[in-house]
Amino acid sequence: DEVVAKADKKVLVVHTSFKGQVLPSGKEEDRGLPVETVKDFTCVISGHIHSYSTFKNVVVAGAPYQMKFGDTNGVISIVEV
């Protein structure tokens, strides 16, 4: 939290999930970082979940190709900043 509070950049890139985001299975993530922790950033790009989605100020980039059998939504994404 201290690192986030001191950051002067508006974009943050992380490799984590966020509590409350909807997973590809349709369930809400019950673990992960509280999204309030990154509220001061304009855009947070995360790559932990393999499917593209958005959640509050978070863009989940997903994977550039199918990584495992359960990756089924077919959306391939590259996020440009």
Side-chain angles (χ1 to χ4, degrees):
D1 290 287
E2 184 176 328
V3 172
V4 173
K6 290 183 178 180
D8 62 355
K9 302 295 180 190
K10 297 294 181 189
V11 175
L12 176 67
V13 179
V14 296
H15 186 260
T16 190
S17 59
F18 289 89
K19 193 177 264 188
Q21 79 181 93
V22 178
L23 300 172
S25 66
K27 296 180 181 178
E28 277 193 13
E29 174 67 281
D30 59 354
R31 299 176 298 185
L33 193 64
V35 73
E36 294 78 21
T37 306
V38 296
K39 68 179 176 5
D40 293 332
F41 289 91
T42 305
C43 180
V44 178
I45 300 171
S46 177
H48 182 63
I49 306 299
H50 293 179
S51 298
Y52 176 85
S53 66
T54 59
F55 176 68
K56 300 196 179 196
N57 61 329
V58 177
V59 175
V60 180
Y65 52 86
Q66 185 175 354
M67 301 291 291
K68 61 182 185 175
F69 185 73
D71 297 343
T72 58
N73 77 354
V75 176
I76 304 301
S77 65
I78 297 172
V79 177
E80 181 179 345
V81 179

